[in-house]
Amino acid sequence: MSLFRNRRLRLIVVGLLSALFVLTLSFGCAGKQAAGPGSEKPKKGGNLTMGFDRETDTFDIYQMTWGSGQEYVYESLTTRDWDYKVVGSLAESWESTPDGKTWTFHLRKGTKWHDGTPFTSKDVKRYYEVMLDPKTAAANALDWTWIKSMDTPDDNTIVFHLDSPFPNLFGKTSNSYGSIMNPDAYAKYGPDGTKEYGTKIAIGTGPLKLKEWIPGDKVVFERNPDYRWGPLFVANKGPVWVDTVTFKTIPDAATRLAELETGNVQILANVPVEHYDRVAKIPNVEVFKEPAFGLGYLAFATDKKPFNDPKVRQAVNLAVDREALVKSVFFGLAQAAYGYLPPRTPEAYQDTAAIRYDVAAAKKLMTEAGYPNGFKATLATQNRTEHVRVAQAIQPMLEAIGIKTEIVQYDEAGYKDFLKAGKQELFMRQYEWDNADILQWFLYSRQVPYPGHSRWADRKTDELIDAAESAITPELRAQKYVELQKYLIEQSVWSPLWYPMAITAVRTDLVGGFKPFPGGGNVVIFDLWMKKNVK
């Protein structure tokens, strides 16, 4: 995002970004045209089930490293609309001082927590104070170090004082990790209380309440009947139409597809690319696709031999034929990646010369690194179908330069524990994020060992990230992030592989009011309704 040092500049930049996104978005839709919101009259009731290949790791925002569904339970100060423009959420309006170092957010009146207590500015202040307390050891604390101090002149006003202008302010306050939890509930049920917060208890201001979470199976949300403050870009501002929303965790792609065909799942996120044509032909199913904000990549434990040698990492980069990978694994429903950020981000940079496919050059680098005969290594991946197939496709490419790999698979929880324990050598990862600060999240020294799973602790990287995050204009921020990416590519910290496509399938005979959100990251719940109830 950009720096909005005063209201006029903010409006100009937001307008430009909105226009950019409108121009770059190209929603694809297979099958019959979906009925648009409002073409049929919504009705209250019913149980909506969505299918996903992985689930959230917690509903504790402080410790969340992979989220799914938290956007229904919690809200943030700002959010994004259909054009991906920043708009108000818990905050109705905001302004800054001319130096860009003091920001005042005016909170929406009448907002309540799920327990019925009023949402106030003091709650916001306490929430961030706990976030920034070193004792909390919040995984997301780095995102909020721009806060120097906070004032609460009244219950509906929060003032942030910053050390310096912060260009990514709205990027932070509008993303799902900017969600605000109830500090009283966290004190009661968090680490110092019953330790049930994030698994059994989650108190926010969102349109749905956490009802039940059975890890590895499903998460069930129920309607918040007191909700009356829906965002401006949706038609339904009051309680959502459906009684419950269930997130069904189905790692196996074929099983997810079968559940969609039978109607047990009515919305399927991350449609398996190998089944795209089949899904598009299912009666009463509409399929939406567009470039996602994401990157799939091969990472290294950069502090371990032989991957602490940049020549070895460079050799791996050169050994991978990304174009072939996109064709064989993704059937063309992805884009070969030659950079660290999705092309849709303003700070994106790709270098097809440095990350080219060149087996001879890769072998030469292996010899220079002292491994003319190669070596053995484990290639770890989560048990997601596409990731396993990518690992299987890469395996012979690496063997061509002498790197013999054993593929090991982990489930969601097991993979996180594996990476936290630092047992990885070569490993597959994918992020889904719309902001260049994802590089800070994964590659800033302070993030090691997790989420800094590449174990990359490098002073120059930190300096380049700091320069990018404190740049005072969007143009300078983009320039600094390009400098960072050139350095990361030179060091071959990752091996970027593919930019994914966001593909979502919807049973339009069962669900009304669906509209695809830019990037496919979220399913906006407010206007969805069930045409037929499915138990």
Side-chain angles (χ1 to χ4, degrees), residues 328-366:
S328 64
V329 176
F330 297 97
F331 305 96
L333 292 170
Q335 180 182 342
Y338 298 94
Y340 286 52
L341 294 173
R344 294 178 64 175
T345 55
E347 301 85 2
Y349 170 76
Q350 297 198 63
D351 190 342
T352 54
I355 313 179
R356 65 191 185 281
Y357 175 51
D358 191 332
V359 175
K363 288 181 176 178
K364 184 172 183 293
L365 284 169
M366 289 287 285

Side-chain angles (χ1 to χ4, degrees), residues 505-524:
V506 181
R507 286 288 301 254
T508 53
D509 59 329
L510 302 175
V511 178
F514 178 83
K515 183 177 179 181
F517 196 72
N522 297 320
V523 174
V524 179

Side-chain angles (χ1 to χ4, degrees), residues 310-343:
K311 289 187 177 180
V312 171
R313 301 195 298 264
Q314 291 163 4
V316 171
N317 260 299
L318 296 175
V320 178
D321 186 345
R322 292 163 179 77
E323 303 295 338
L325 194 70
V326 166
K327 290 180 182 177
S328 64
V329 176
F330 297 97
F331 305 96
L333 292 170
Q335 180 182 342
Y338 298 94
Y340 286 52
L341 294 173

Side-chain angles (χ1 to χ4, degrees), residues 361-497:
K363 288 181 176 178
K364 184 172 183 293
L365 284 169
M366 289 287 285
T367 299
E368 291 176 2
Y371 300 98
N373 300 316
F375 53 80
K376 294 181 179 178
T378 57
L379 172 53
T381 179
Q382 195 174 329
N383 60 351
R384 301 172 68 183
T385 304
E386 290 178 354
H387 288 201
V388 173
R389 295 183 66 221
V390 169
Q392 292 170 341
I394 287 175
Q395 194 173 40
M397 297 179 187
L398 298 179
E399 189 164 356
I401 63 169
I403 302 176
K404 296 182 179 179
T405 57
E406 177 190 0
I407 297 174
V408 291
Q409 301 180 37
Y410 294 88
D411 61 17
E412 176 77 34
Y415 202 36
K416 184 176 179 180
D417 292 341
F418 167 79
L419 296 174
K420 278 187 170 180
K423 297 179 180 178
Q424 64 272 35
E425 293 181 309
L426 275 168
F427 59 106
M428 301 283 310
R429 290 296 274 171
Q430 179 177 338
Y431 74 70
E432 295 171 7
W433 200 244
D434 60 358
N435 195 298
D437 65 6
I438 192 69
L439 299 181
Q440 180 188 34
W441 170 255
F442 282 125
L443 297 174
Y444 203 78
S445 295
R446 179 176 166 179
Q447 302 296 78
V448 176
Y450 196 89
H453 43 42
S454 299
R455 308 176 71 81
W456 180 249
D458 178 73
R459 179 180 298 178
K460 184 172 181 179
T461 299
D462 291 351
E463 291 173 353
L464 290 169
I465 289 173
D466 288 340
E469 285 294 293
S470 60
I472 60 173
T473 67
E475 294 78 13
L476 184 58
R477 171 181 164 83
Q479 176 186 326
K480 294 298 181 183
Y481 263 113
V482 167
E483 290 178 18
L484 169 64
Q485 291 169 84
K486 287 182 177 179
Y487 176 67
L488 295 175
I489 290 173
E490 175 189 312
Q491 295 295 317
S492 288
V493 180
W494 289 347
S495 180
L497 300 179

Side-chain angles (χ1 to χ4, degrees), residues 111-120 123 182 184 203 205:
T111 306
K112 294 182 179 179
W113 296 104
H114 290 166
D115 61 8
T117 57
F119 167 80
T120 71
D123 295 334
N182 183 307
D184 290 333
I203 304 296
T205 61

